[in-house]
Amino acid sequence: MQKICLSVDSLNTAFYTDEGVVHAVNGISFEVNEGETLGIVGESGCGKSVSMLSIMRLLPQPPAKIQAKSIRFFDIELTKLSEEEMQHLRGRQMAMVFQDPMTFLNPVLTIGFQLMEPLKVHLNFTEQQARERAEELLQMVGIPEARLRLKDYPHQFSGGMRQRVMIAMALACNPPLVIADEPTTALDVTIQAQIVELVKRLRHEFRMTLIWITHDLAVVAGLANRVMVMYAGYVMEDAPIEPLYAEPLHPYTAALLRALPKLDQVTGSRLETIPGLPPDLIRLPKGCPYAPRCMFKQEICVQQMPPLEKRDGRRIACWVDIHTGRLK
């Protein structure tokens, strides 16, 4: 039986602002098995990144307020750890690859220094051991002349190379869990494909558990074992990759898949779009937040949020059977 690497029960994250309380994550629960790759997808602002930053405890509190019944990493209950204990866990046991490397790489420190620092702090490496390991990491992620590049600064690397450095930093201490927060968004399509292939190779080499956050369902198609679809801070659908793509059960998942460009699409034809806009997270509707944009909307949808129910090996939060258009 597979071990559960990460188990999250009823995670809520809100931001207290002058305009009001922003309900960014609304009671989400999920599990990730050891060695599994979970894709988390949804439109911008749906709570993907905030949920992961909440788990890693990387959001400033205040303005954020994070609450959960439980967040377990293997046998460790993260909600009970002090900030010092979380700092020890981050990097050594759990690591994150961020969307914009230039935001998280220090521009005045060399790449070598930034790669070597976690090795010294978490693994007690000597200067020489850390330097050798840093060079090995750069080679592993495909950066040529690794020894010379250790002396370079972030601005001397291209966007794709900086993202490779971020991946190397995340893998430095060989953590069991790596969270990748839209790491290919700012890159061109060719470099995106290279980064995805690199992560797939390293995932097998390191036997790590991976959570990949993206707004693009096409990216996770060949990467994830399972996909969790989020909308307005809620989980709408959670299913293994093949059933989800073959037969989505939530109207939002189906709409996202219809919006993907297809190889057999007629040249010049328009891509499908989802009408309307996501809800205001300060003034969330009483019922399903997707209801105003949903072609299957029923009266109950605007009155009551559907529970996230297990069905046929997946989880779905919807009152309607989208095959018949009727209430379940």
Side-chain angles (χ1 to χ4, degrees):
M1 188 175 176
Q2 281 185 307
K3 262 187 172 181
I4 295 173
C5 173
L6 182 68
S7 175
V8 177
D9 185 2
S10 305
L11 173 65
N12 289 276
T13 303
F15 294 93
Y16 288 77
T17 70
D18 293 338
E19 289 77 25
V21 181
V22 179
H23 301 280
V25 180
N26 300 298
I28 70 168
S29 301
F30 65 94
E31 293 178 347
V32 188
N33 291 323
E34 187 178 22
E36 184 179 30
T37 297
L38 172 69
I40 303 181
V41 303
E43 291 170 273
S44 297
C46 72
K48 309 181 299 293
S49 299
V50 171
S51 59
M52 295 303 110
L53 291 169
S54 300
I55 290 165
M56 296 283 284
R57 222 189 289 173
L58 289 172
L59 295 173
Q61 300 182 69
K65 184 176 182 181
I66 303 166
Q67 294 178 310
K69 286 183 183 177
S70 172
I71 302 175
R72 292 191 70 81
F73 174 68
F74 289 109
D75 297 324
I76 304 168
E77 179 55 58
L78 300 185
T79 59
K80 296 183 178 175
L81 296 187
S82 66
E83 181 53 35
E84 186 179 345
E85 289 170 324
M86 274 301 296
Q87 283 182 358
H88 181 72
L89 200 70
R90 287 193 295 259
R92 179 68 187 93
Q93 298 291 328
M94 308 165 69
M96 200 156 181
V97 180
F98 294 97
Q99 181 175 344
D100 181 10
M102 282 307 281
T103 304
F104 294 94
L105 290 172
N106 192 318
V108 300
L109 297 175
T110 65
I111 292 298
F113 181 92
Q114 295 181 67
L115 275 169
M116 290 162 63
E117 191 68 10
L119 295 167
K120 295 176 185 176
V121 171
H122 293 298
L123 302 180
N124 297 317
F125 275 25
T126 64
E127 182 79 14
Q128 182 61 29
Q129 287 173 325
R131 188 173 299 282
E132 289 173 0
R133 175 60 174 162
E135 183 183 340
E136 181 187 327
L137 286 164
L138 288 188
Q139 289 172 342
M140 191 184 304
V141 297
I143 293 180
E145 300 182 316
R147 182 174 297 181
L148 296 175
R149 299 312 302 266
L150 288 173
K151 300 173 185 177
D152 288 343
Y153 292 85
H155 73 272
Q156 294 174 279
F157 288 73
S158 67
M161 288 297 184
R162 283 196 292 266
Q163 198 56 271
R164 289 171 185 266
V165 170
M166 288 292 293
I167 293 168
M169 289 177 71
L171 298 177
C173 300
N174 197 13
L177 173 65
V178 173
I179 299 169
D181 184 8
E182 303 207 46
T184 62
T185 297
L187 306 175
D188 65 54
V189 177
T190 305
I191 305 301
Q192 278 187 26
Q194 291 176 7
I195 295 296
V196 170
E197 287 304 311
L198 170 66
V199 169
K200 285 168 73 172
R201 176 173 62 81
L202 295 175
R203 177 188 61 185
H204 291 297
E205 285 182 16
F206 283 77
R207 297 179 182 177
M208 64 186 178
T209 305
L210 177 65
I211 297 176
W212 186 282
I213 302 167
T214 181
H215 62 272
D216 188 350
L217 271 164
V219 170
V220 293
L223 183 67
N225 305 112
R226 205 173 92 241
V227 175
M228 188 167 79
V229 181
M230 290 187 67
Y231 186 81
Y234 293 94
V235 176
M236 296 283 117
E237 187 166 3
D238 179 356
I241 192 84
E242 289 181 10
L244 183 114
Y245 279 76
E247 189 181 20
L249 296 184
H250 196 283
Y252 180 56
T253 312
L256 287 176
L257 287 169
R258 286 197 303 271
L260 290 176
K262 298 171 182 63
L263 291 175
D264 59 354
Q265 194 161 343
V266 177
T267 304
S269 62
R270 294 176 66 88
L271 287 174
E272 287 198 41
T273 59
I274 304 174
L277 295 170
D280 183 348
L281 296 180
I282 295 177
R283 299 168 190 83
L284 278 174
K286 184 166 61 172
C288 174
Y290 185 63
R293 308 172 74 183
C294 183
M295 66 173 69
F296 300 99
K297 178 176 66 177
Q298 304 282 342
E299 189 175 341
I300 192 174
C301 300
V302 296
Q303 297 296 328
Q304 194 175 339
M305 178 67 194
L308 189 64
E309 296 178 325
K310 289 185 178 179
R311 187 169 13 128
D312 299 328
R314 64 173 84 186
R315 298 186 301 158
I316 178 169
C318 188
W319 294 115
V320 180
D321 182 339
I322 66 172
H323 297 112
T324 64
R326 299 180 186 141
L327 292 175
K328 290 182 289 191

